[in-house]
């Protein structure tokens, strides 16, 4: 089955700097890769996703890149703000549609 | 507005008790999921369901069962709770067949003493 590894586990950045989170996956058949943000005490919510026929996708200050050959994808947050502080999870849709493998999560702390 | 509701935010149970966690979604979604969230382990899939009366094992089904008698409701059952089942449980739903957004509930934090 699918296995997703996520790094780093914690990330501290100064406000205004960029943050990058990287994930690798094992199943070459995976073709959908969402990113979820979970604020403290809240439910995870989708912030951006990418499909295997696209190499990069951008939405305002966040972007996701996908390298299918190397089987890794990354989340990029530019001009970080305190409200970006949260746990971020990457995921990959594995051999059964709708069935996702999640990474272990990255705690991002943005300090003013 | 999309809504997934979990019946209990916090539960405290004793070892050996039977535990029911209820989840209801109002989006007419076909797919429903139960995840377990533990620090450093991310979200791990316990069971999921593509349709009423259907269920599929996820990655960590041992010690759990599920029930989906109606499309909008998906229940997680711990037949005999154990301390290693102390965790945060998240229900989610999604529409269609693959590649769809998961909508999560607020979570149920279960403590087994």
């Amino acid at each position: 089955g699918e296995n997703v590894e996520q790094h780093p586990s914690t990330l501290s950045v100064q406000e205004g700097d960029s943050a990058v989170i990287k994930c690798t996956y094992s199943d070459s058949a995976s073709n959908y890769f969402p990113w979820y943000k979970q604020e403290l005490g809240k439910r995870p919510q989708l912030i951006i996703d990418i499909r295997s026929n696209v190499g990069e996708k951008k939405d305002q200050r966040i972007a996701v890149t996908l390298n299918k050959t190397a089987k890794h994808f990354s989340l990029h947050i530019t001009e970080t703000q305190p409200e970006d502080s949260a746990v971020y999870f990457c995921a990959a849709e594995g051999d059964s549609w709708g069935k996702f493998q999640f990474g272990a999560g990255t705690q991002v702390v943005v300090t003013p | 507005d999309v809504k997934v509701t979990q019946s209990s935010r916090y539960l405290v149970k004793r070892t050996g008790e039977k535990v029911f966690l209820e989840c209801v979604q109002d989006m007419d979604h076909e797919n429903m999921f139960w995840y377990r969230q533990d620090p450093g382990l991310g979200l791990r899939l316990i069971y999921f369901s593509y349709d009423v009366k259907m269920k599929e094992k996820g990655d960590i089904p041992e010690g759990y069962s599920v029930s989906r008698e109606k499309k909008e409701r998906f229940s997680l059952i711990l037949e005999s709770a154990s301390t290693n089942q102390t965790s945060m449980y998240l229900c989610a739903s999604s529409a269609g067949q693959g590649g769809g957004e998961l909508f999560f509930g607020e979570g149920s934090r279960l403590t087994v003493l």
Side-chain angles (χ1 to χ4, degrees), chain B residues 17-96:
Chain B
E17 281 192 274
K18 191 168 185 176
V19 182
F20 291 90
L21 298 179
E22 300 278 328
C23 176
V24 177
Q25 50 96 1
D26 65 358
M27 298 160 285
D28 201 35
H29 282 171
E30 293 83 1
N31 314 315
M32 296 190 74
F33 308 82
W34 275 106
Y35 286 90
R36 173 176 169 161
Q37 182 175 15
D38 299 288
L41 297 177
L43 282 70
R44 293 180 291 165
L45 182 63
I46 305 171
Y47 267 96
F48 59 109
S49 169
Y50 293 137
D51 200 352
V52 176
K53 305 275 189 191
M54 292 182 66
K55 60 183 179 183
E56 299 276 347
K57 290 182 180 179
D59 299 313
I60 52 165
E62 297 78 18
Y64 303 94
S65 62
V66 290
S67 172
R68 193 165 181 201
E69 296 295 319
K70 293 185 178 181
K71 189 176 184 180
E72 68 270 19
R73 188 180 298 270
F74 193 36
S75 302
L76 181 69
I77 304 152
L78 288 68
E79 292 288 342
S80 178
S82 62
T83 55
N84 62 12
Q85 293 178 310
T86 291
S87 187
M88 171 68 83
Y89 292 88
L90 287 167
C91 175
S93 71
S94 71

Coordinates of all heavy atoms in Angstrom, one line a residue, chain B residues 17-96:
Chain B
E17 N -15.2 -1.2 28.5 CA -16.5 -0.7 28.1 C -16.7 -0.7 26.6 O -15.7 -0.6 25.9 CB -16.7 0.7 28.7 CG -17.0 0.8 30.1 CD -17.4 2.2 30.5 OE1 -16.5 3.1 30.8 OE2 -18.6 2.5 30.5
K18 N -17.9 -0.7 26.2 CA -18.3 -0.6 24.8 C -18.5 0.9 24.5 O -19.2 1.6 25.3 CB -19.5 -1.4 24.5 CG -19.8 -1.5 23.0 CD -20.9 -2.5 22.7 CE -21.2 -2.8 21.3 NZ -22.2 -3.9 21.0
V19 N -17.9 1.4 23.4 CA -17.9 2.8 23.1 C -18.5 3.0 21.7 O -18.1 2.3 20.7 CB -16.5 3.4 23.1 CG1 -16.6 4.9 22.9 CG2 -15.9 3.2 24.5
F20 N -19.4 3.9 21.6 CA -20.0 4.3 20.3 C -19.6 5.8 20.0 O -19.9 6.6 20.8 CB -21.5 4.2 20.3 CG -22.1 2.8 20.4 CD1 -22.3 2.3 21.7 CD2 -22.4 2.1 19.3 CE1 -22.8 1.0 21.8 CE2 -22.9 0.8 19.4 CZ -23.1 0.2 20.6
L21 N -19.0 5.9 18.8 CA -18.8 7.3 18.3 C -19.6 7.5 17.0 O -19.5 6.7 16.1 CB -17.3 7.5 18.0 CG -16.3 7.3 19.1 CD1 -14.9 7.5 18.6 CD2 -16.6 8.3 20.3
E22 N -20.5 8.6 17.1 CA -21.4 8.8 16.0 C -20.9 10.0 15.1 O -20.4 10.9 15.6 CB -22.8 9.1 16.6 CG -23.4 8.0 17.4 CD -24.1 7.0 16.6 OE1 -24.6 7.3 15.5 OE2 -24.0 5.8 17.0
C23 N -21.2 9.8 13.9 CA -20.9 10.9 12.9 C -22.0 11.1 11.9 O -22.5 10.1 11.3 CB -19.6 10.5 12.2 SG -19.1 11.7 10.9
V24 N -22.4 12.3 11.7 CA -23.5 12.6 10.8 C -23.0 13.7 9.8 O -22.5 14.7 10.2 CB -24.8 13.0 11.5 CG1 -25.8 13.4 10.5 CG2 -25.3 12.0 12.4
Q25 N -23.3 13.5 8.5 CA -23.0 14.5 7.5 C -24.2 14.9 6.8 O -25.1 14.1 6.5 CB -21.9 14.0 6.5 CG -22.1 12.7 5.9 CD -22.7 12.7 4.5 OE1 -23.0 13.8 4.0 NE2 -23.0 11.5 4.0
D26 N -24.3 16.2 6.4 CA -25.5 16.7 5.8 C -25.3 17.1 4.3 O -26.0 17.9 3.8 CB -26.1 17.9 6.6 CG -25.1 19.1 6.5 OD1 -24.0 19.0 5.9 OD2 -25.5 20.1 7.2
M27 N -24.3 16.5 3.7 CA -23.9 16.9 2.3 C -24.3 15.8 1.3 O -23.9 15.9 0.1 CB -22.4 17.1 2.2 CG -22.0 18.3 3.1 SD -20.3 18.2 3.5 CE -20.2 16.9 4.7
D28 N -25.0 14.7 1.7 CA -25.3 13.6 0.8 C -24.1 13.0 0.2 O -24.2 12.5 -0.9 CB -26.3 14.1 -0.3 CG -27.1 13.0 -0.9 OD1 -27.5 12.1 -0.2 OD2 -27.3 13.0 -2.1
H29 N -23.0 12.9 1.0 CA -21.8 12.3 0.5 C -21.9 10.8 0.5 O -22.4 10.2 1.4 CB -20.6 12.8 1.3 CG -20.1 14.1 1.0 ND1 -19.2 14.8 1.7 CD2 -20.4 15.0 0.0 CE1 -19.0 16.0 1.2 NE2 -19.7 16.1 0.1
E30 N -21.3 10.2 -0.5 CA -21.3 8.7 -0.6 C -20.3 8.1 0.4 O -20.5 7.1 0.9 CB -20.9 8.3 -2.0 CG -22.0 8.6 -3.1 CD -21.9 10.0 -3.6 OE1 -20.9 10.7 -3.2 OE2 -22.7 10.4 -4.5
N31 N -19.1 8.8 0.5 CA -18.0 8.2 1.2 C -17.9 8.8 2.6 O -17.9 10.0 2.8 CB -16.7 8.5 0.5 CG -16.8 8.2 -1.0 OD1 -17.4 7.2 -1.4 ND2 -16.3 9.2 -1.8
M32 N -17.6 7.9 3.6 CA -17.4 8.3 4.9 C -16.2 7.6 5.5 O -16.0 6.4 5.1 CB -18.6 8.2 5.8 CG -19.8 9.1 5.3 SD -21.2 9.1 6.5 CE -20.6 10.2 7.8
F33 N -15.5 8.2 6.4 CA -14.2 7.7 6.9 C -14.1 7.9 8.4 O -14.6 8.9 9.0 CB -13.0 8.4 6.3 CG -13.1 8.4 4.8 CD1 -13.8 9.4 4.1 CD2 -12.4 7.5 4.0 CE1 -13.9 9.4 2.7 CE2 -12.4 7.5 2.7 CZ -13.1 8.5 2.0
W34 N -13.4 7.0 9.1 CA -13.0 7.2 10.5 C -11.5 7.1 10.5 O -10.9 6.2 10.1 CB -13.6 6.2 11.4 CG -14.9 6.5 11.9 CD1 -16.1 5.9 11.5 CD2 -15.3 7.5 12.9 NE1 -17.1 6.5 12.2 CE2 -16.7 7.5 13.1 CE3 -14.5 8.4 13.7 CZ2 -17.3 8.3 13.9 CZ3 -15.2 9.2 14.6 CH2 -16.6 9.2 14.7
Y35 N -10.9 8.2 11.1 CA -9.4 8.3 11.2 C -9.1 8.4 12.7 O -9.9 8.9 13.5 CB -8.9 9.6 10.6 CG -8.8 9.5 9.1 CD1 -9.8 9.9 8.3 CD2 -7.6 9.0 8.4 CE1 -9.7 9.8 6.9 CE2 -7.5 8.9 7.1 CZ -8.6 9.3 6.3 OH -8.5 9.3 4.9
R36 N -7.9 8.0 13.0 CA -7.4 8.2 14.4 C -6.2 9.1 14.3 O -5.4 8.9 13.4 CB -7.0 6.8 15.0 CG -6.3 6.9 16.3 CD -6.1 5.5 16.8 NE -5.2 5.7 18.0 CZ -5.0 4.7 18.9 NH1 -5.6 3.6 18.8 NH2 -4.2 5.0 19.9
Q37 N -6.1 10.1 15.2 CA -5.0 11.1 15.1 C -4.2 11.0 16.4 O -4.8 11.2 17.5 CB -5.6 12.5 14.9 CG -4.5 13.5 14.8 CD -4.9 14.9 14.5 OE1 -6.1 15.2 14.6 NE2 -4.0 15.8 14.1
D38 N -3.0 10.7 16.3 CA -2.0 10.7 17.4 C -0.8 11.5 17.1 O -0.3 11.5 15.9 CB -1.6 9.2 17.7 CG -2.8 8.3 18.0 OD1 -3.3 8.5 19.2 OD2 -3.2 7.5 17.2
P39 N -0.2 12.2 18.0 CA 0.9 13.0 17.8 C 2.1 12.2 17.2 O 2.4 11.2 17.6 CB 1.3 13.5 19.2 CG 0.0 13.4 20.0 CD -0.7 12.2 19.4
G40 N 2.6 12.8 16.1 CA 3.8 12.2 15.4 C 3.4 11.1 14.5 O 4.3 10.5 13.8
L41 N 2.1 10.7 14.5 CA 1.7 9.6 13.6 C 0.7 10.1 12.5 O 0.3 9.3 11.6 CB 1.0 8.5 14.4 CG 1.9 7.8 15.4 CD1 1.1 6.7 16.2 CD2 3.1 7.1 14.7
G42 N 0.3 11.3 12.5 CA -0.6 11.8 11.5 C -2.0 11.2 11.7 O -2.4 10.9 12.8
L43 N -2.7 11.1 10.6 CA -4.0 10.6 10.6 C -4.0 9.2 10.0 O -3.5 9.0 8.9 CB -5.0 11.4 9.7 CG -5.5 12.7 10.3 CD1 -4.4 13.7 10.5 CD2 -6.6 13.3 9.5
R44 N -4.5 8.2 10.8 CA -4.5 6.8 10.3 C -5.9 6.3 10.1 O -6.7 6.5 11.0 CB -3.7 5.9 11.3 CG -2.2 6.2 11.4 CD -1.5 5.3 12.4 NE -1.9 5.6 13.7 CZ -1.7 4.8 14.8 NH1 -1.1 3.7 14.6 NH2 -2.1 5.2 16.0
L45 N -6.1 5.7 9.0 CA -7.5 5.3 8.6 C -7.9 4.0 9.3 O -7.2 3.0 9.2 CB -7.5 5.1 7.1 CG -8.9 4.7 6.5 CD1 -9.9 5.8 6.7 CD2 -8.7 4.5 5.0
I46 N -9.0 4.0 9.9 CA -9.5 2.9 10.7 C -10.4 2.1 9.8 O -10.2 0.9 9.5 CB -10.2 3.3 12.0 CG1 -9.3 4.2 12.8 CG2 -10.7 2.1 12.7 CD1 -10.1 4.8 14.0
Y47 N -11.5 2.7 9.3 CA -12.5 2.1 8.4 C -13.1 3.2 7.5 O -13.0 4.3 7.8 CB -13.7 1.5 9.2 CG -13.6 0.1 9.6 CD1 -13.1 -0.3 10.9 CD2 -14.0 -0.9 8.7 CE1 -13.0 -1.6 11.2 CE2 -13.9 -2.3 9.1 CZ -13.4 -2.6 10.4 OH -13.3 -3.9 10.7
F48 N -13.6 2.7 6.4 CA -14.3 3.6 5.5 C -15.4 2.9 4.8 O -15.5 1.7 4.9 CB -13.3 4.3 4.5 CG -12.6 3.4 3.6 CD1 -12.9 3.3 2.2 CD2 -11.6 2.6 4.0 CE1 -12.2 2.5 1.4 CE2 -10.9 1.8 3.2 CZ -11.2 1.7 1.8
S49 N -16.3 3.7 4.2 CA -17.5 3.2 3.6 C -17.8 4.0 2.4 O -17.8 5.2 2.4 CB -18.7 3.3 4.6 OG -19.9 3.0 4.0
Y50 N -18.1 3.3 1.3 CA -18.5 3.9 0.0 C -20.0 4.1 -0.1 O -20.5 4.8 -1.0 CB -17.9 3.2 -1.2 CG -16.4 3.1 -1.3 CD1 -15.8 2.0 -1.6 CD2 -15.7 4.3 -1.1 CE1 -14.4 1.9 -1.7 CE2 -14.3 4.3 -1.2 CZ -13.7 3.1 -1.5 OH -12.3 3.1 -1.6
D51 N -20.7 3.3 0.7 CA -22.2 3.3 0.5 C -22.8 2.7 1.7 O -22.2 2.1 2.6 CB -22.5 2.5 -0.8 CG -23.9 2.9 -1.3 OD1 -24.7 3.6 -0.7 OD2 -24.2 2.4 -2.4
V52 N -24.1 2.9 1.8 CA -24.9 2.3 2.9 C -24.6 0.8 3.0 O -24.6 0.1 1.9 CB -26.4 2.6 2.7 CG1 -27.2 1.9 3.8 CG2 -26.6 4.1 2.7
K53 N -24.5 0.3 4.2 CA -24.3 -1.1 4.4 C -22.9 -1.6 4.0 O -22.6 -2.8 4.2 CB -25.4 -2.0 3.8 CG -26.8 -1.6 4.1 CD -27.2 -2.2 5.4 CE -28.7 -2.0 5.6 NZ -29.2 -2.4 6.9
M54 N -22.1 -0.7 3.4 CA -20.8 -1.2 2.9 C -19.7 -0.7 3.9 O -19.8 0.4 4.4 CB -20.5 -0.7 1.5 CG -21.3 -1.3 0.4 SD -20.9 -0.7 -1.2 CE -19.3 -1.4 -1.4
K55 N -18.7 -1.4 4.1 CA -17.5 -1.0 4.9 C -16.3 -1.7 4.4 O -16.3 -2.8 3.9 CB -17.8 -1.3 6.4 CG -18.0 -2.8 6.6 CD -18.3 -3.1 8.1 CE -18.5 -4.6 8.4 NZ -18.8 -4.8 9.8
E56 N -15.2 -1.0 4.5 CA -13.9 -1.5 4.1 C -12.9 -1.2 5.3 O -12.9 -0.1 5.9 CB -13.4 -0.8 2.9 CG -14.3 -0.9 1.6 CD -14.0 -2.2 0.9 OE1 -12.9 -2.8 1.2 OE2 -14.8 -2.5 0.0
K57 N -12.0 -2.1 5.5 CA -11.0 -1.9 6.5 C -9.9 -0.9 6.0 O -9.6 -0.9 4.8 CB -10.3 -3.3 6.8 CG -11.2 -4.2 7.6 CD -10.4 -5.5 7.9 CE -11.3 -6.5 8.7 NZ -10.6 -7.8 9.0
G58 N -9.5 -0.1 6.9 CA -8.4 0.8 6.6 C -7.1 0.2 7.1 O -6.9 -1.0 7.0
D59 N -6.2 1.0 7.6 CA -4.9 0.5 8.0 C -4.8 0.0 9.4 O -3.9 -0.8 9.7 CB -3.9 1.7 7.8 CG -3.8 2.1 6.4 OD1 -3.7 1.3 5.4 OD2 -3.9 3.4 6.1
I60 N -5.7 0.4 10.2 CA -5.6 0.0 11.6 C -7.0 -0.4 12.2 O -7.5 0.2 13.1 CB -5.0 1.1 12.6 CG1 -5.7 2.4 12.4 CG2 -3.5 1.2 12.3 CD1 -5.4 3.4 13.5
P61 N -7.7 -1.4 11.6 CA -9.0 -1.8 12.0 C -9.1 -2.6 13.3 O -10.2 -2.7 13.8 CB -9.5 -2.6 10.8 CG -8.3 -3.3 10.3 CD -7.1 -2.3 10.5
E62 N -8.0 -3.2 13.7 CA -8.1 -4.1 14.9 C -8.7 -3.4 16.1 O -8.2 -2.3 16.5 CB -6.7 -4.6 15.2 CG -6.1 -5.5 14.1 CD -5.5 -4.6 13.0 OE1 -5.3 -3.4 13.2 OE2 -5.3 -5.2 11.9
G63 N -9.7 -4.0 16.7 CA -10.3 -3.5 17.9 C -11.4 -2.5 17.7 O -12.1 -2.0 18.6
Y64 N -11.8 -2.3 16.4 CA -12.8 -1.4 16.0 C -13.8 -2.1 15.0 O -13.5 -3.1 14.3 CB -12.3 -0.2 15.2 CG -11.3 0.6 16.0 CD1 -9.9 0.3 15.8 CD2 -11.6 1.6 16.9 CE1 -8.9 1.1 16.5 CE2 -10.7 2.3 17.6 CZ -9.3 2.1 17.4 OH -8.4 2.8 18.1
S65 N -15.0 -1.6 15.0 CA -16.0 -2.0 14.0 C -16.8 -0.8 13.6 O -16.7 0.3 14.3 CB -16.9 -3.1 14.4 OG -17.7 -2.7 15.6
V66 N -17.5 -0.8 12.5 CA -18.3 0.3 12.1 C -19.7 -0.1 11.6 O -20.0 -1.3 11.4 CB -17.6 1.1 10.9 CG1 -16.4 1.8 11.4 CG2 -17.3 0.1 9.8
S67 N -20.6 0.9 11.5 CA -21.9 0.6 11.1 C -22.4 1.8 10.2 O -22.2 3.0 10.6 CB -22.9 0.5 12.3 OG -24.2 0.4 11.8
R68 N -22.9 1.5 9.1 CA -23.5 2.5 8.2 C -24.9 2.0 7.7 O -25.0 1.5 6.7 CB -22.6 2.8 7.0 CG -23.1 4.2 6.4 CD -22.0 4.7 5.5 NE -22.5 6.0 4.9 CZ -21.9 6.4 3.8 NH1 -21.0 5.8 3.2 NH2 -22.4 7.6 3.3
E69 N -25.9 2.3 8.5 CA -27.3 1.9 8.2 C -28.0 3.0 7.4 O -28.9 2.6 6.6 CB -28.0 1.7 9.5 CG -27.5 0.5 10.4 CD -27.7 -0.8 9.7 OE1 -28.7 -1.0 9.0 OE2 -26.7 -1.6 9.7
K70 N -27.5 4.2 7.5 CA -28.1 5.3 6.7 C -26.9 6.1 6.0 O -25.8 6.1 6.5 CB -28.9 6.2 7.5 CG -30.2 5.6 8.1 CD -31.0 6.7 8.8 CE -32.3 6.0 9.4 NZ -33.1 7.0 10.1
K71 N -27.2 6.7 4.9 CA -26.2 7.3 4.1 C -25.5 8.4 4.9 O -24.3 8.6 4.8 CB -26.8 7.9 2.8 CG -25.8 8.4 1.8 CD -26.4 8.9 0.6 CE -25.4 9.4 -0.5 NZ -26.1 9.8 -1.7
E72 N -26.2 9.1 5.7 CA -25.7 10.3 6.4 C -25.0 9.9 7.7 O -24.3 10.8 8.3 CB -26.8 11.3 6.7 CG -27.8 10.9 7.7 CD -29.0 10.1 7.1 OE1 -28.9 9.7 5.9 OE2 -30.0 10.0 7.8
R73 N -25.0 8.7 8.1 CA -24.5 8.4 9.5 C -23.5 7.2 9.4 O -23.8 6.2 8.8 CB -25.7 8.0 10.4 CG -25.4 7.8 11.8 CD -26.6 7.4 12.6 NE -27.6 8.5 12.5 CZ -27.7 9.4 13.4 NH1 -26.9 9.5 14.4 NH2 -28.7 10.4 13.3
F74 N -22.4 7.4 10.1 CA -21.3 6.4 10.1 C -20.9 6.3 11.6 O -20.4 7.3 12.1 CB -20.2 6.8 9.2 CG -19.2 5.8 8.9 CD1 -19.6 4.4 8.7 CD2 -17.9 6.1 8.6 CE1 -18.6 3.5 8.4 CE2 -16.9 5.1 8.3 CZ -17.3 3.8 8.2
S75 N -21.0 5.1 12.1 CA -20.7 5.0 13.6 C -19.4 4.1 13.7 O -19.2 3.1 13.0 CB -21.8 4.3 14.3 OG -23.0 5.1 14.1
L76 N -18.6 4.5 14.7 CA -17.4 3.7 15.0 C -17.7 3.1 16.4 O -18.1 3.8 17.3 CB -16.2 4.6 15.1 CG -14.9 4.0 15.5 CD1 -14.4 3.1 14.3 CD2 -13.8 5.0 15.8
I77 N -17.4 1.8 16.5 CA -17.7 1.1 17.7 C -16.4 0.4 18.2 O -15.6 -0.2 17.5 CB -18.7 0.0 17.4 CG1 -20.0 0.6 16.8 CG2 -19.0 -0.8 18.7 CD1 -20.8 -0.3 15.9
L78 N -16.1 0.6 19.5 CA -15.1 -0.1 20.2 C -15.7 -1.1 21.1 O -16.4 -0.7 22.1 CB -14.2 0.9 21.0 CG -13.3 1.9 20.3 CD1 -14.1 2.9 19.5 CD2 -12.4 2.6 21.3
E79 N -15.6 -2.3 20.7 CA -16.4 -3.4 21.4 C -15.9 -3.5 22.9 O -16.7 -3.7 23.8 CB -16.2 -4.7 20.7 CG -16.9 -4.8 19.4 CD -18.4 -4.8 19.4 OE1 -18.9 -5.2 20.5 OE2 -19.1 -4.6 18.4
S80 N -14.7 -3.4 23.1 CA -14.1 -3.5 24.5 C -12.9 -2.5 24.6 O -11.8 -2.9 24.1 CB -13.7 -4.9 24.8 OG -13.1 -5.0 26.1
A81 N -13.2 -1.3 25.0 CA -12.1 -0.3 25.0 C -10.9 -0.7 25.8 O -11.0 -1.3 26.8 CB -12.7 1.0 25.5
S82 N -9.8 -0.3 25.2 CA -8.5 -0.5 25.9 C -7.7 0.8 26.0 O -8.0 1.7 25.2 CB -7.6 -1.6 25.2 OG -7.3 -1.1 23.9
T83 N -6.8 0.9 26.9 CA -6.1 2.1 27.1 C -5.3 2.6 25.9 O -5.2 3.8 25.7 CB -5.1 2.0 28.3 OG1 -4.2 0.9 28.1 CG2 -5.8 1.8 29.6
N84 N -4.9 1.6 25.0 CA -4.2 2.1 23.8 C -5.1 2.6 22.7 O -4.6 3.0 21.7 CB -3.3 0.9 23.3 CG -4.1 -0.3 22.8 OD1 -5.3 -0.2 22.8 ND2 -3.4 -1.4 22.6
Q85 N -6.4 2.7 23.0 CA -7.3 3.3 22.1 C -7.6 4.8 22.6 O -8.5 5.4 21.9 CB -8.6 2.5 22.0 CG -8.4 1.2 21.3 CD -9.6 0.3 21.2 OE1 -10.3 0.1 22.2 NE2 -9.9 -0.2 20.1
T86 N -6.9 5.2 23.6 CA -7.0 6.6 24.0 C -6.5 7.5 22.8 O -5.3 7.3 22.4 CB -6.2 6.9 25.2 OG1 -6.9 6.3 26.3 CG2 -6.1 8.4 25.5
S87 N -7.3 8.4 22.2 CA -6.8 9.1 21.1 C -7.9 10.1 20.7 O -9.0 10.2 21.3 CB -6.6 8.1 19.9 OG -6.1 8.7 18.8
M88 N -7.5 10.9 19.6 CA -8.5 11.7 19.0 C -9.0 11.0 17.7 O -8.3 10.5 16.9 CB -7.8 13.0 18.5 CG -8.7 13.9 17.6 SD -10.1 14.6 18.5 CE -9.3 16.0 19.3
Y89 N -10.4 10.9 17.6 CA -11.0 10.3 16.5 C -11.7 11.3 15.6 O -12.5 12.1 16.1 CB -12.0 9.2 17.0 CG -11.3 8.1 17.6 CD1 -11.0 8.1 19.0 CD2 -10.9 6.9 16.9 CE1 -10.4 7.0 19.6 CE2 -10.3 5.9 17.5 CZ -10.0 6.0 18.9 OH -9.3 4.9 19.5
L90 N -11.3 11.2 14.3 CA -11.9 12.2 13.3 C -12.7 11.4 12.3 O -12.2 10.5 11.7 CB -10.8 12.9 12.6 CG -10.0 14.0 13.4 CD1 -8.7 14.4 12.7 CD2 -10.9 15.2 13.7
C91 N -13.9 11.9 12.1 CA -14.8 11.4 11.0 C -14.7 12.4 9.8 O -14.4 13.6 10.0 CB -16.2 11.4 11.5 SG -17.4 10.9 10.3
A92 N -14.8 11.8 8.6 CA -14.7 12.7 7.4 C -15.7 12.1 6.4 O -16.0 10.9 6.4 CB -13.3 12.7 6.9
S93 N -16.0 12.9 5.5 CA -16.9 12.5 4.3 C -16.3 13.1 3.1 O -15.7 14.2 3.1 CB -18.3 12.8 4.6 OG -18.6 14.2 4.4
S94 N -16.7 12.5 1.9 CA -16.3 13.1 0.6 C -17.3 12.6 -0.4 O -18.0 11.6 -0.2 CB -14.9 12.6 0.2 OG -14.8 11.3 -0.1
A95 N -17.4 13.3 -1.5 CA -18.3 13.0 -2.5 C -17.6 12.2 -3.7 O -16.4 12.3 -3.8 CB -18.9 14.3 -3.1
G96 N -18.4 11.5 -4.5 CA -17.9 11.0 -5.7 C -16.9 9.9 -5.6 O -16.8 9.2 -4.6

